[in-house]
Amino acid sequence: MIIGEIMDAVILCAGKGERLRPLTENRPKPMIPVAGKPILEHIIEKVENLVDNIYLVVKYKKEVIIEHFKNRPKIKFLEQGEIDGTGQAVLTAKDYVDGDFLVLNGDIIFEDDLEKFLKCKNAMALTEVKNPENFGVVVLDKDNNIIELQEKPENPKSNLINAGIYKFEDEIFEILEDIEPSERGEVELTDAIKELIKDRKIKGIKLDGYWNDIGRPWDILDANKHLLGKIKTSIKGKVEENVVIKGEVIIEEGATIKANSVIEGPAIIKKGAVVGPLAYIRPNTVLMENTFVGNSSEVKGSIIMKNTKIPHLSYVGDSIIGENCNFGCNTITANLRFDDKPVKVNIKGKRIGSVRKLGVIMGDNVKTGIQVSFMPGVKVGSNCWIGANCLIDKDVESNTFVYK
Amino acid sequence: MIIGEIMDAVILCAGKGERLRPLTENRPKPMIPVAGKPILEHIIEKVENLVDNIYLVVKYKKEVIIEHFKNRPKIKFLEQGEIDGTGQAVLTAKDYVDGDFLVLNGDIIFEDDLEKFLKCKNAMALTEVKNPENFGVVVLDKDNNIIELQEKPENPKSNLINAGIYKFEDEIFEILEDIEPSERGEVELTDAIKELIKDRKIKGIKLDGYWNDIGRPWDILDANKHLLGKIKTSIKGKVEENVVIKGEVIIEEGATIKANSVIEGPAIIKKGAVVGPLAYIRPNTVLMENTFVGNSSEVKGSIIMKNTKIPHLSYVGDSIIGENCNFGCNTITANLRFDDKPVKVNIKGKRIGSVRKLGVIMGDNVKTGIQVSFMPGVKVGSNCWIGANCLIDKDVESNTFVYK
Amino acid sequence: MIIGEIMDAVILCAGKGERLRPLTENRPKPMIPVAGKPILEHIIEKVENLVDNIYLVVKYKKEVIIEHFKNRPKIKFLEQGEIDGTGQAVLTAKDYVDGDFLVLNGDIIFEDDLEKFLKCKNAMALTEVKNPENFGVVVLDKDNNIIELQEKPENPKSNLINAGIYKFEDEIFEILEDIEPSERGEVELTDAIKELIKDRKIKGIKLDGYWNDIGRPWDILDANKHLLGKIKTSIKGKVEENVVIKGEVIIEEGATIKANSVIEGPAIIKKGAVVGPLAYIRPNTVLMENTFVGNSSEVKGSIIMKNTKIPHLSYVGDSIIGENCNFGCNTITANLRFDDKPVKVNIKGKRIGSVRKLGVIMGDNVKTGIQVSFMPGVKVGSNCWIGANCLIDKDVESNTFVYK
């Protein structure tokens, strides 16, 4: 296929993103903001100029996706039916796409421009990782034909893994229709790909640059950091007296940096956000629309979602804070263990090691009282009230009122 | 009566102001500072140019009033005797005033210039309120003669209420002398007024503009806000490097704003006060003489009485803090409920709703340790010590040492 | 003796400094930094130009002294043997010094230039104090010969005390060799001096200016304050935008003062130290090499030893903090009692009054969690972890993990 020829893209956005609770309580995973916009927006930007139509296969919290993208001419929405699985998601697009088409998982941040990839008929994008045992491992022959797929193998045969981006000819639909749903009642795309592999009809194409399959909260912060590393300074908002800005910082029109604040980029401060006076924004921070970080507060390496207020004397580090939260004065996050070991986080009931510095993962509409402390790696569900002086060292379920 | 003719004023300042405890523990209510000076000073400024003599009827903590006003030529002090009540207070002035005279309650903040009012023989100032059932309601005929007084009526006949300012001819003294003391042993001015009403001899004159009968702590903050809304910038104190001042701010001679602080008016910073460095003063704040608000501290919508120190990392919002207090590092006031309902305050044993944002009401000579928290609407009596790390969520009696 | 003639100095640095635990856990007392360098360095600077050789008599933690001074040409190290006592320490130098020589205690900060002193044959430096009963009291005849030594007398005969600086002829070694060790197995220098006194062969010479025998933590802070009072501004480090510096401040090359910070001298900020942004350094503070005092933090009247980090929203006042400590966000020291009495400190098991303002005395390698509070005068041993939200109101033994 030649670039420029008619082609469509199908992006899989139907999943629940349970490992990312509580961030996915009120939005599907692809709508989590990274570097100032939803993960899905980053994916769309990558393919928008390569395709004619973009079909977003939606289901869980579909209204959030539709509301955000409804006025974009190339974008159409397809709702996945009862049957689950990535294969079924692709099948949803059967009656819409024509000829070759791209399929992308809706939760990946990648740097490659897909150019090499588009030259193939059937192809799977690959990326090299240090821990292939947690992914779908791919084995290639010398002509880059995929000859084997290993799903989370104990003994991986390579460190190349399935990067969640595919190119298919439309015959894939017939193959998918022939596949029996799994025990879990799902039709998996990889089962169809295995049919292509039998005939050596699908290439494995290694992506260049950064790639991250957003599965756990710290993946979001890692992708955020990567993308912020690429921004260039653009200051369109209001910057008051004695504000000092260092590094690459985007301050959107309608944002205000109040007097005597200090900002160290890379950082993005969105429309309607107010910083300061006397606040300190540190690298790898994104303040979404209408957020407020006030007097003597410090935010570092964190994503603060829209309408959230951190008015005074607070510290938020290496954290993800949902929308419409309000932090009482002197709300402090810890982000480091005394023993410097990876911070432990509960992911779907299991306590697993994350990264050396991780703060709090908070849902939407949380209010904290004054002098509240969060221990590293705790998760706080949506709609919680955390009473004054509480020390939160365990996860807090959504809709909980914690008090002393 | 023609303006310019000889006339006296009698201001009633004898009461105990119990609803305003602990602020009235060491001063009578008229001496509580609002917008940088005592309530009584504001009243005197209103009448000073209209009258020849001002008689302050004093009793409770009279020495505070006398000390403050003793060198003012038009002002004389009259001490009320054993018998209580506003009528008795007026009678105290019987031998001093001659002809027509004004009577004013010593606890009202009002905007009207009294011009219309002075043209009457006998008159009561009126103001319109939304909740007349809590006041003395006045019914007028078409000629503005008062025809009825209802005291805190369940079914008010109008929303015009007695504003606590009167003009009388001296015959009022005879009427007052004929009145029997009430069951509580008090002679009430309204009982005398009822005699005037019988003969349609007293007009009701509606005041223009702001009026507030200071009865509860949040009335003080409301009046403070109103009066600060009228100030004009005047900076005579020392302002160090990189201080940013916005809005209307009065910084008196002998005050110092230290480096890198931010002040957002309206605000008044009195002689001898020190702000900063790196402090943040927000609108509707008054720092009285010799106060100190230091590093990273923030004060908003509050009155800080003289000699009080808030040296570091503290937040005081929507609060009234007495004299000679000292706040340990990181003393924080909460001023908002999670449920956004009016903050509850104990007033004379009853728990009543106040306003949406209210912090702490504190007497004099209170010391707090480090990391102390105050919940919205708590009252702390004079001479208390609040130990480090305490969370104060109940009122604290005077002379108490609270510790963990 | 004529100045310029060959002479040596012996400095006694072998002791354990137990009253200064935990500061002496990892260094001998003479190596505690005061005004930016070890006590011993200040002593050496005083005598360096007066003598040919400086013999440091070392024992406890000798490697710290040797490492620091090993490349200084005039300095030699002598290790004291099994027998303890100041006399034995001086004897250690017997085979090295020739003719007249100076002996200095290794733990005194003094201002005098020793000129008068050097003109004598045998001499003891004296200083006048208000509490001679805690020291060795000296009685002089009219020719300034010492005629009596009283050791911590109940009824001191003068307020002149032994200042810990001596000049001797080499016959002192013979006298020392004849002295029997005390019950504690120590040979004391004062016993030898008593022999000189018998023959009126030793003068008492009063020192001019400041003198402090560093025995207790607050002596360190007092000496630090005195020496900082003498510094002159020298700014060789990097000073970012809107930094305000007042008073005499030394900022060494390789130090950085980040944006919008405020520094009030006298203060010393050593190589590699980082201050700010938005930090506040107050008078009588020393930040040793590679320390960090960050956003909204304030340090006053304190010594922060090398590599210690105070990153955010913390207050350290009148404290001594060891090396390699890390303070969680919002770690606060209290330094004042509510009753304004001297802060009590445990010194070798006894609880004694110190000074009106004293914070925390902390060893090396301590980590604090977020929102930790220290009460005035507490001591925290080396290698402790103080968990989030802890209030430390008792001394903490070394190697302890305190948590809630």
Side-chain angles (χ1 to χ4, degrees):
Chain A
M1 180 200 160
I2 294 145
I3 296 174
E5 223 179 282
I6 291 173
M7 188 171 66
D8 293 335
V10 176
I11 305 180
L12 311 182
C13 312
K16 284 186 179 158
E18 296 205 353
R19 288 181 302 162
L20 285 171
R21 293 261 159 165
L23 303 175
T24 51
E25 285 187 333
N26 298 315
R27 64 187 67 75
K29 182 166 37 161
M31 291 306 289
I32 292 173
V34 173
K37 49 198 168 193
I39 294 167
L40 181 53
E41 184 75 61
H42 292 282
I43 298 169
I44 287 170
E45 285 179 5
K46 283 287 183 187
V47 300
E48 210 159 25
N49 293 324
L50 305 174
V51 301
D52 296 281
N53 299 292
I54 297 170
Y55 295 100
L56 303 182
V57 182
V58 297
K59 187 170 179 186
Y60 175 73
K61 300 282 176 194
K62 64 178 190 285
E63 62 284 1
V64 181
I65 294 176
I66 292 168
E67 179 60 29
H68 186 89
F69 291 102
K70 66 185 174 191
N71 296 321
R72 300 269 282 268
K74 281 189 178 173
I75 295 175
K76 278 95 185 171
F77 306 96
L78 300 174
E79 183 164 0
Q80 186 165 359
E82 287 305 298
I83 302 169
D84 284 337
T86 47
Q88 190 63 33
V90 172
L91 263 179
T92 312
K94 184 192 169 203
D95 295 341
Y96 302 91
V97 302
D98 219 11
D100 290 3
F101 65 103
L102 286 176
V103 173
L104 301 101
N105 288 351
D107 56 3
I108 47 174
I109 295 291
F110 61 96
E111 195 169 359
D112 192 277
D113 63 7
L114 302 181
E115 206 169 317
K116 269 188 290 178
F117 188 78
L118 295 176
K119 293 174 182 161
C120 308
K121 280 193 176 296
N122 290 297
M124 176 194 281
L126 309 179
T127 193
E128 216 164 40
V129 296
K130 284 180 182 159
N131 54 339
E133 60 279 7
N134 299 326
F135 296 91
V137 172
V138 173
V139 186
L140 300 181
D141 69 9
K142 63 180 170 28
D143 299 321
N144 290 329
N145 293 306
I146 297 175
I147 56 172
E148 190 178 345
L149 273 190
Q150 300 179 292
E151 201 50 38
K152 297 187 185 175
E154 270 184 50
N155 301 301
K157 291 184 180 172
S158 88
N159 54 9
L160 285 174
I161 62 154
N162 176 356
I165 309 173
Y166 314 88
K167 182 155 175 275
F168 295 118
E169 298 173 295
D170 56 7
E171 67 164 325
I172 194 76
F173 293 120
E174 289 158 47
I175 300 171
L176 280 166
E177 283 174 325
D178 287 347
I179 288 170
E180 289 290 308
S182 70
E183 284 173 29
R184 293 193 296 172
E186 296 179 3
V187 173
E188 290 304 334
L189 185 55
T190 46
D191 289 335
I193 290 168
K194 281 171 185 165
E195 295 301 310
L196 295 175
I197 288 171
K198 281 180 190 163
D199 302 327
R200 305 253 167 137
K201 283 176 68 177
I202 180 163
K203 299 277 184 192
I205 303 295
K206 206 181 135 196
L207 298 178
D208 289 330
Y210 186 85
W211 174 90
N212 197 335
D213 165 40
I214 307 295
R216 302 148 314 170
W218 52 98
D219 294 329
I220 297 172
L221 292 174
D222 189 79
N224 190 58
K225 182 178 173 182
H226 167 72
L227 290 167
L228 285 173
K230 309 282 177 183
I231 67 170
K232 294 293 162 202
T233 290
S234 157
I235 297 179
K236 296 191 174 153
K238 186 176 170 196
V239 176
E240 291 188 356
E241 299 89 329
N242 307 329
V243 168
V244 176
I245 298 174
K246 297 185 181 291
E248 303 295 326
V249 176
I250 294 172
I251 300 173
E252 292 188 357
E253 201 176 329
T256 304
I257 314 302
K258 295 180 83 175
N260 293 12
S261 295
V262 175
I263 300 178
E264 293 173 6
I268 297 175
I269 296 165
K270 305 275 290 180
K271 192 175 164 177
V274 175
V275 170
L278 293 159
Y280 181 29
I281 304 300
R282 290 171 61 190
N284 302 316
T285 292
V286 178
L287 305 182
M288 297 298 288
E289 290 84 357
N290 303 313
T291 46
F292 172 38
V293 177
N295 169 48
S296 298
S297 293
E298 174 178 342
V299 181
K300 174 224 155 192
S302 295
I303 296 168
I304 312 296
M305 296 191 203
K306 66 183 181 188
N307 302 323
T308 284
K309 315 292 177 205
I310 305 171
H312 13 224
L313 292 162
S314 294
Y315 172 61
V316 177
D318 304 297
S319 296
I320 304 172
I321 310 295
E323 299 180 1
N324 303 311
C325 293
N326 194 72
F327 278 19
C329 186
N330 218 230
T331 293
I332 309 288
T333 64
N335 56 348
L336 188 62
R337 291 166 57 105
F338 283 144
D339 61 10
D340 259 343
K341 287 186 185 162
V343 169
K344 290 272 201 305
V345 181
N346 293 320
I347 299 290
K348 292 182 82 173
K350 272 191 193 156
R351 196 142 182 79
I352 65 171
S354 63
V355 285
R356 184 169 163 266
K357 289 202 167 184
L358 186 70
V360 62
I361 309 303
M362 186 179 284
D364 301 326
N365 312 313
V366 174
K367 294 185 185 189
T368 70
I370 59 174
Q371 312 244 39
V372 164
S373 304
F374 292 103
M375 290 294 94
V378 295
K379 300 203 279 189
V380 178
S382 295
N383 312 315
C384 288
W385 290 351
I386 311 294
N389 281 25
C390 285
L391 170 68
I392 302 301
D393 57 1
K394 290 191 185 66
D395 290 357
V396 178
E397 295 274 312
S398 297
N399 307 306
T400 306
F401 184 6
V402 181
Y403 56 91
K404 267 193 142 168
Chain B
M1 182 199 158
I2 294 146
I3 295 177
E5 224 179 283
I6 291 175
M7 189 171 67
D8 294 334
V10 176
I11 306 179
L12 312 182
C13 312
K16 283 187 180 158
E18 295 206 354
R19 290 180 301 162
L20 285 171
R21 294 259 157 166
L23 303 175
T24 51
E25 285 187 333
N26 298 315
R27 63 186 68 75
K29 181 164 42 160
M31 292 305 290
I32 292 174
V34 173
K37 48 197 168 194
I39 294 168
L40 182 53
E41 184 75 62
H42 291 284
I43 298 170
I44 288 171
E45 284 179 7
K46 282 287 183 189
V47 300
E48 209 159 26
N49 293 324
L50 305 174
V51 301
D52 296 282
N53 298 293
I54 297 170
Y55 295 100
L56 303 183
V57 182
V58 298
K59 187 170 179 186
Y60 175 73
K61 301 278 175 197
K62 63 178 191 287
E63 63 284 0
V64 182
I65 295 177
I66 293 168
E67 178 60 29
H68 187 89
F69 290 103
K70 65 185 176 192
N71 296 320
R72 300 269 283 268
K74 281 189 179 175
I75 296 176
K76 278 95 185 170
F77 307 97
L78 300 173
E79 181 162 1
Q80 187 164 357
E82 288 303 300
I83 302 169
D84 284 336
T86 49
Q88 190 62 33
V90 172
L91 263 181
T92 311
K94 185 193 169 206
D95 295 340
Y96 302 91
V97 303
D98 219 10
D100 290 5
F101 65 104
L102 287 175
V103 173
L104 301 102
N105 288 350
D107 57 1
I108 47 174
I109 295 291
F110 61 96
E111 195 169 1
D112 191 276
D113 63 8
L114 302 181
E115 208 169 316
K116 271 189 287 178
F117 188 76
L118 294 177
K119 293 175 182 158
C120 306
K121 279 191 177 297
N122 290 298
M124 176 193 281
L126 308 179
T127 192
E128 216 165 41
V129 297
K130 285 178 182 160
N131 55 339
E133 60 279 7
N134 298 327
F135 296 92
V137 172
V138 172
V139 187
L140 299 180
D141 69 11
K142 64 178 170 29
D143 299 320
N144 290 330
N145 294 306
I146 298 175
I147 56 173
E148 190 178 345
L149 272 190
Q150 301 179 290
E151 201 50 37
K152 298 187 183 175
E154 269 184 51
N155 301 299
K157 292 183 179 172
S158 89
N159 53 8
L160 285 174
I161 63 154
N162 177 355
I165 309 173
Y166 315 89
K167 183 156 175 274
F168 295 118
E169 296 172 298
D170 56 8
E171 65 163 328
I172 193 78
F173 293 120
E174 289 159 44
I175 301 171
L176 280 167
E177 284 174 326
D178 287 347
I179 289 169
E180 289 289 306
S182 70
E183 286 173 29
R184 292 194 295 173
E186 296 178 3
V187 173
E188 289 304 333
L189 186 55
T190 47
D191 290 335
I193 290 168
K194 281 172 185 162
E195 295 302 311
L196 295 175
I197 289 171
K198 282 180 189 161
D199 302 326
R200 305 251 169 140
K201 284 176 67 177
I202 181 163
K203 299 277 183 192
I205 304 296
K206 205 180 136 198
L207 298 178
D208 289 330
Y210 186 84
W211 175 89
N212 197 335
D213 165 39
I214 306 296
R216 301 147 315 170
W218 53 98
D219 295 328
I220 297 171
L221 292 174
D222 189 79
N224 189 58
K225 182 178 173 182
H226 165 73
L227 291 168
L228 285 173
K230 309 282 177 182
I231 67 170
K232 294 293 162 203
T233 290
S234 157
I235 297 179
K236 296 191 175 154
K238 187 178 171 196
V239 175
E240 291 188 355
E241 299 90 326
N242 307 328
V243 168
V244 176
I245 298 174
K246 298 185 180 292
E248 303 294 327
V249 177
I250 294 173
I251 301 173
E252 292 188 357
E253 200 176 328
T256 303
I257 314 303
K258 294 179 85 176
N260 292 11
S261 295
V262 176
I263 300 178
E264 293 174 6
I268 297 176
I269 296 165
K270 305 275 290 181
K271 191 176 164 178
V274 175
V275 170
L278 293 159
Y280 181 29
I281 305 299
R282 290 171 60 190
N284 303 315
T285 293
V286 178
L287 305 182
M288 296 298 288
E289 290 83 357
N290 303 313
T291 46
F292 173 38
V293 177
N295 170 46
S296 297
S297 293
E298 174 178 342
V299 180
K300 174 223 156 192
S302 296
I303 296 168
I304 312 296
M305 296 191 204
K306 66 182 180 189
N307 302 323
T308 284
K309 316 291 176 205
I310 304 172
H312 13 225
L313 291 162
S314 293
Y315 172 61
V316 176
D318 304 296
S319 298
I320 305 173
I321 310 296
E323 299 180 1
N324 303 312
C325 294
N326 194 71
F327 278 20
C329 186
N330 217 230
T331 292
I332 308 288
T333 64
N335 56 348
L336 188 61
R337 291 165 58 104
F338 283 145
D339 61 11
D340 260 342
K341 286 186 184 161
V343 169
K344 290 269 201 309
V345 181
N346 293 320
I347 300 290
K348 291 182 80 173
K350 273 191 192 156
R351 197 144 181 78
I352 66 171
S354 63
V355 285
R356 184 169 162 266
K357 288 202 169 184
L358 187 68
V360 63
I361 309 302
M362 186 179 286
D364 301 325
N365 313 313
V366 174
K367 294 185 185 189
T368 70
I370 59 174
Q371 312 244 40
V372 164
S373 304
F374 292 102
M375 290 295 93
V378 296
K379 298 203 279 190
V380 178
S382 296
N383 313 315
C384 289
W385 291 350
I386 310 294
N389 280 25
C390 284
L391 170 68
I392 303 300
D393 57 1
K394 290 191 185 66
D395 290 357
V396 179
E397 295 274 313
S398 298
N399 308 305
T400 307
F401 184 5
V402 182
Y403 55 91
K404 269 193 140 167
Chain C
M1 182 199 160
I2 294 145
I3 296 174
E5 224 179 282
I6 290 174
M7 190 170 66
D8 293 335
V10 176
I11 306 179
L12 311 183
C13 312
K16 283 186 179 159
E18 295 205 355
R19 290 181 302 163
L20 285 170
R21 293 257 158 171
L23 303 174
T24 50
E25 285 187 333
N26 298 315
R27 64 186 68 75
K29 182 166 38 159
M31 292 306 289
I32 293 174
V34 173
K37 48 198 168 196
I39 294 168
L40 181 53
E41 184 77 59
H42 292 283
I43 297 170
I44 288 171
E45 284 179 5
K46 282 286 183 188
V47 300
E48 210 161 24
N49 293 324
L50 306 174
V51 302
D52 296 280
N53 298 292
I54 297 170
Y55 294 100
L56 304 183
V57 181
V58 298
K59 187 171 178 185
Y60 176 73
K61 300 282 176 194
K62 63 178 190 287
E63 62 284 0
V64 181
I65 295 177
I66 293 168
E67 178 60 29
H68 187 89
F69 290 103
K70 65 184 175 192
N71 296 320
R72 299 270 281 270
K74 281 190 180 173
I75 295 176
K76 278 96 188 170
F77 307 97
L78 300 174
E79 182 162 1
Q80 187 165 358
E82 287 304 299
I83 302 169
D84 284 336
T86 49
Q88 190 63 32
V90 171
L91 263 181
T92 312
K94 184 192 170 205
D95 297 339
Y96 303 90
V97 302
D98 219 10
D100 290 4
F101 65 103
L102 287 176
V103 172
L104 301 102
N105 288 350
D107 57 2
I108 47 175
I109 295 291
F110 61 96
E111 197 169 0
D112 191 277
D113 62 7
L114 302 182
E115 206 168 316
K116 271 189 287 180
F117 189 76
L118 294 177
K119 293 174 184 161
C120 307
K121 279 191 176 298
N122 290 299
M124 176 194 280
L126 308 179
T127 192
E128 216 165 41
V129 296
K130 285 180 183 158
N131 54 339
E133 60 280 6
N134 298 327
F135 296 92
V137 171
V138 172
V139 186
L140 299 180
D141 68 11
K142 63 179 170 29
D143 298 321
N144 290 329
N145 294 305
I146 299 175
I147 56 172
E148 190 178 345
L149 272 190
Q150 300 180 290
E151 200 51 37
K152 298 186 184 177
E154 270 184 49
N155 301 299
K157 293 183 179 172
S158 88
N159 53 8
L160 285 175
I161 62 155
N162 177 354
I165 309 174
Y166 315 89
K167 182 156 176 273
F168 295 117
E169 297 172 296
D170 56 7
E171 66 165 325
I172 194 76
F173 293 121
E174 288 158 46
I175 300 171
L176 281 167
E177 282 175 328
D178 286 347
I179 288 169
E180 288 291 306
S182 69
E183 284 173 30
R184 293 193 296 172
E186 297 179 3
V187 173
E188 289 306 334
L189 185 55
T190 46
D191 290 334
I193 289 168
K194 280 171 185 164
E195 296 299 312
L196 294 175
I197 288 171
K198 282 181 190 164
D199 302 330
R200 304 251 168 140
K201 285 175 67 176
I202 181 163
K203 299 277 182 191
I205 303 295
K206 206 180 137 197
L207 298 178
D208 289 329
Y210 186 83
W211 176 90
N212 198 333
D213 165 39
I214 307 295
R216 301 147 316 170
W218 52 99
D219 295 328
I220 298 171
L221 292 174
D222 189 78
N224 190 58
K225 183 177 172 183
H226 165 73
L227 291 167
L228 285 173
K230 310 281 176 182
I231 67 170
K232 295 293 160 201
T233 290
S234 157
I235 297 179
K236 297 192 173 151
K238 188 178 171 195
V239 175
E240 291 188 355
E241 298 90 327
N242 307 329
V243 168
V244 176
I245 298 174
K246 296 186 182 291
E248 303 295 327
V249 176
I250 294 172
I251 300 173
E252 292 187 356
E253 200 175 329
T256 304
I257 314 301
K258 296 179 83 175
N260 292 12
S261 296
V262 175
I263 299 178
E264 293 174 5
I268 297 176
I269 296 166
K270 306 276 288 182
K271 190 174 165 180
V274 175
V275 170
L278 293 159
Y280 181 29
I281 304 300
R282 290 172 61 192
N284 303 316
T285 293
V286 178
L287 305 182
M288 296 297 289
E289 291 84 356
N290 302 313
T291 46
F292 173 38
V293 176
N295 169 47
S296 298
S297 293
E298 174 179 342
V299 181
K300 175 225 155 191
S302 296
I303 296 168
I304 311 298
M305 296 190 205
K306 67 183 181 188
N307 301 324
T308 284
K309 316 291 177 204
I310 304 172
H312 13 226
L313 292 162
S314 294
Y315 172 62
V316 177
D318 304 297
S319 297
I320 305 171
I321 309 296
E323 301 181 0
N324 301 312
C325 294
N326 195 72
F327 278 19
C329 186
N330 217 229
T331 293
I332 308 288
T333 64
N335 55 348
L336 188 61
R337 291 167 57 105
F338 283 144
D339 61 12
D340 260 342
K341 287 187 185 161
V343 169
K344 290 271 201 307
V345 181
N346 293 321
I347 299 290
K348 291 182 80 173
K350 274 192 191 153
R351 197 144 180 77
I352 65 170
S354 63
V355 285
R356 185 169 162 266
K357 290 202 167 185
L358 186 69
V360 63
I361 309 303
M362 186 179 284
D364 302 324
N365 311 313
V366 174
K367 295 184 184 190
T368 71
I370 59 174
Q371 313 242 39
V372 164
S373 304
F374 292 102
M375 290 295 92
V378 296
K379 299 203 279 188
V380 178
S382 296
N383 311 316
C384 288
W385 291 351
I386 310 294
N389 282 25
C390 284
L391 170 67
I392 302 302
D393 57 2
K394 290 190 185 67
D395 290 357
V396 179
E397 295 273 313
S398 299
N399 306 306
T400 306
F401 183 6
V402 181
Y403 56 91
K404 268 192 143 169

